[in-house]
Amino acid sequence: MMTVSDFFEVVERILKALFSWPAVVVISVFLLRQAILKIVDRLVSGESGKAKLGFVEIELGKLAKDGREAVDNLNEVSMVLAKSRLLELEITRDNFSTVFTVEQERELNELISKLREAIEGCR
């Protein structure tokens, strides 16, 4: 059976754990999560959002815009590569299908179909 002193010892341990700095940080972030998300969103979406840490200053809005542009450029390059690969596969099938086994021709047609569907899905 738990004595009063045992109870107070348990309470003391719980309070020490709750008020340790890692627990305070976790609880604070949890309680302030909506405000933190709004601040981060304003910094990233705004053109003038800047963050400064010591001598390093970062324009978060510009960084996010540049990141989006880089991703868009990579997507465009990927689309060009996919279309050129589709053309290569179709030329290969049309010109060399007589030397393929039935299984190879089936696999090639399946790859062409999947690639065409993927390209159409990205438009």
Side-chain angles (χ1 to χ4, degrees), residues 76-88 115 119:
E76 189 175 331
V77 168
S78 293
M79 185 59 70
V80 169
L81 290 172
K83 287 178 180 180
S84 66
R85 183 62 182 146
L86 178 60
L87 181 61
E88 290 173 4
L115 188 53
I119 290 171

Side-chain angles (χ1 to χ4, degrees), residues 23 27 31 47 77 90 102 112 123:
I27 292 169
L31 293 175
E47 287 298 318
V77 168
E90 289 172 337
V102 173
I112 289 171
R123 290 184 184 174

Side-chain angles (χ1 to χ4, degrees), residues 27-49:
I27 292 169
S28 298
V29 168
F30 178 74
L31 293 175
L32 299 172
R33 70 187 180 279
Q34 293 298 328
I36 292 169
L37 289 173
K38 285 181 184 178
I39 290 170
V40 169
D41 186 48
R42 285 177 86 183
L43 286 173
V44 171
S45 64
E47 287 298 318
S48 64

Side-chain angles (χ1 to χ4, degrees), residues 8 13-14 18 21 26 28-29 34-36 44 46 50 52 61 65 72 78-79 82 87 92-93 120 123:
F8 284 122
R13 287 183 184 175
I14 291 171
L18 283 176
W21 73 265
V26 169
S28 298
V29 168
Q34 293 298 328
I36 292 169
V44 171
K50 293 183 179 180
K52 188 172 184 178
K65 180 182 173 200
D72 289 344
S78 293
M79 185 59 70
L87 181 61
T92 300
R93 179 193 60 201
E120 289 298 320
R123 290 184 184 174

